[in-house]
Amino acid sequence: SGWQYSSEELCGVLEDIVGQVDRMTGIIDHMRAFSRGHGSKEPQRFRLSEPVEGALKLMAAQLRAQGIALDPELGHSEVICCGWPFEIEQVILNLLANARDALQDRVQRDRSGDDALPPAWQACIRLSTLTDTGSGECGIAVSDTGGGIPDGVAERVFEPFYTTKPVGKGTGLGLSIAQGIMARHNGRIEVDNRPGDGVTFRLVLPTGSAAVVAGLPHPATA
């Protein structure tokens, strides 16, 4: 006789469908914008929130579906930077993917008995923005609870082709490329390793007069 849905159940199903369509539309729009923006050779002014929001649109639903809590703290995201926002977004995506892999690896180690998880542990990624008006810098931080980088490895994470991931899962180029992108923006990438807890990667970008790149006018004078 067919399936029977109550009005509330039917509304829930339709809301899920609309949500999925919205996510697909967002990804398509994002990829179109990426293909246009990535081909731009000239730097541009952009809000710190732009690459962060773009990365979240692509990965937030995926992370949550994998049981990873995502904690965005975007209190200083309207500060103006200069450069290539889609390149910064790619760096954020790489950091989010690395954090996801670290969390999944820690769960696997717990299941195999190699490394017991602490009580009340939660697979969590925190994505936050920050600014230091005194130094004229802003930042994007990606933190995880994946257990940190093993001893002797942290100082090598930016080396090209160096990776601790299994064969076929990583190229060892992600962080090396990220470092190059940050240098291209007159910025830098920093790592704060907390063995047994997790790791934080910070993308530091110049703002204000220090953010002028390739002859781009300062936002206040444009």
Side-chain angles (χ1 to χ4, degrees), residues 63 66-70 96-110 117 121-126 143-148 197-199:
L63 292 172
Q66 294 173 336
I68 298 173
L70 185 60
L96 289 173
N98 285 349
R100 175 201 60 202
D101 292 347
L103 291 166
Q104 292 177 338
D105 184 60
R106 191 171 196 186
V107 170
Q108 185 59 41
R109 293 198 308 272
D110 175 69
L117 291 172
W121 179 84
Q122 183 182 30
C124 180
I125 298 175
R126 177 173 290 111
S143 303
D144 65 61
T145 57
D197 179 17
V199 64

Side-chain angles (χ1 to χ4, degrees), residues 9-88:
E9 289 173 331
L10 185 58
C11 287
V13 170
L14 292 175
E15 286 177 0
D16 288 342
I17 292 173
V18 171
Q20 291 288 347
V21 171
D22 286 343
R23 280 191 286 273
M24 292 172 63
T25 301
I27 290 173
I28 293 170
D29 290 343
H30 173 88
M31 295 307 296
R32 286 175 175 169
F34 178 77
S35 64
R36 293 193 300 267
H38 199 67
S40 174
K41 295 181 180 180
E42 294 299 322
Q44 57 184 284
R45 295 186 296 272
F46 64 92
R47 296 189 310 276
L48 187 63
S49 61
E50 292 179 27
V52 175
E53 290 171 355
L56 287 174
K57 283 181 181 178
L58 287 179
M59 288 201 68
Q62 177 192 138
L63 292 172
R64 292 189 175 113
Q66 294 173 336
I68 298 173
L70 185 60
D71 181 15
E73 298 178 356
L74 311 180
H76 302 282
S77 58
E78 296 308 302
V79 64
I80 298 296
C81 304
C82 295
W84 299 267
F86 287 104
E87 290 190 1
I88 300 299

Side-chain angles (χ1 to χ4, degrees), residues 6 24 55 90 99 142 154 159 168 185:
S6 68
M24 292 172 63
Q90 290 305 298
V142 178
E159 292 182 15
H185 285 77

